[in-house]
Amino acid sequence: MRIVIAGGHGQIALRLERLLAARGYEVAGIIRNREQGDDLREAGAEPVLCDLESASVEHVAGILQGADAAVFAAGAGPGSGIARKDTVDRGAAVLFADAAERARVRRFLMVSSMGADAQRGGDEVFDAYLRAKGEADDHVRTRLGLEWTVLRPGSLLDEPGTGLVRLEAHAGGGAVPRDDVAAVLAELIETPATAGLTLELVSGSTPVPVAVKAVAGN
């Protein structure tokens, strides 16, 4: 099984690459900085050089050809302005979803954010971020060729994961370690019955595999 991850050098993506490689999957991570390649190789992933802000759908579809699953985990990141929230958090996500559909990649996971809303008001950068994520989520949900799942984590923490989460359509506010976000993504890839769901994720009391099984098919 080949899995391609957009934003391959991100903090969640690197964790996910390690988990998937340990499970025996063939993993590729899309990066735009060649110098990040060694970090991906160390995580067990093949680095693929591509700038999703300027690439064509056809080019990205070529990268995705033959993949069994695609994960969008890219982001403009802290310190970026409103313009890049649009070009990365919305634009690159839309491009990646369209390319996955063109390449006939069925399983598609979108790493979004709790509070993502295309109709959100406000002029702050965070408002623009949540609008961009909401618009990207809305687009993914229109792709009839994808078995998509949208994951919306709460505030992200760098502390070690506990393996215990709350994963629901509406989980309420809260935070979650990046380790646990990656663990949930790994389980979601292996649980296609979660296709068509938008799920919120925070720390909780349910083991990750149990939490994913509980929402599968709902």
Side-chain angles (χ1 to χ4, degrees):
M1 187 170 181
R2 177 175 172 82
I3 301 163
V4 179
I5 302 172
H9 195 257
Q11 295 187 66
I12 290 172
L14 286 169
R15 289 166 166 85
L16 178 59
E17 287 156 4
R18 292 187 187 97
L19 290 175
L20 295 175
R23 296 186 184 194
Y25 293 124
E26 179 185 348
V27 187
I30 295 176
I31 55 175
R32 64 177 191 165
N33 183 348
R34 192 181 302 274
E35 295 176 358
Q36 297 170 342
D38 286 344
D39 291 338
L40 269 71
R41 294 184 189 95
E42 185 179 341
E46 167 202 353
V48 177
L49 201 63
C50 177
D51 186 347
L52 293 175
E53 287 183 90
S54 59
S56 67
V57 172
E58 291 78 9
H59 180 71
V60 179
I63 293 171
L64 287 164
Q65 200 68 43
D68 299 286
V71 181
F72 186 82
S80 58
I82 289 175
R84 292 204 69 227
K85 302 305 182 190
D86 182 68
T87 58
V88 178
D89 293 291
R90 183 201 59 79
V94 166
L95 173 81
F96 196 61
D98 290 352
E101 190 173 44
R102 183 167 300 192
R104 301 184 185 278
V105 180
R106 296 293 297 174
R107 193 75 177 106
F108 188 93
L109 300 185
M110 170 68 83
V111 182
S112 183
S113 173
M114 191 174 289
D117 181 358
Q119 305 304 316
R120 183 182 176 96
D123 299 322
E124 299 299 322
V125 172
F126 190 62
D127 297 319
Y129 168 73
L130 292 178
R131 274 196 302 274
K133 296 300 283 186
E135 290 171 6
D137 293 352
D138 288 349
H139 181 80
V140 167
R141 289 188 289 233
T142 68
R143 300 298 89 196
L144 299 179
L146 300 179
E147 295 174 356
W148 54 264
T149 303
V150 174
L151 183 65
R152 292 178 163 178
S155 301
L156 298 171
L157 305 174
D158 287 327
E159 62 191 45
T162 65
L164 300 173
V165 298
R166 182 177 180 186
L167 181 69
E168 299 174 9
H170 302 286
V176 60
R178 288 179 171 86
D179 286 349
D180 290 334
V181 178
V184 168
L185 288 168
E187 290 293 326
L188 289 173
I189 287 171
E190 297 181 343
T191 314
T194 58
L197 299 180
T198 299
L199 301 167
E200 294 184 348
L201 173 66
V202 295
S203 292
S205 57
T206 305
V208 167
V210 176
V212 172
K213 286 185 176 67
V215 297
N218 291 338

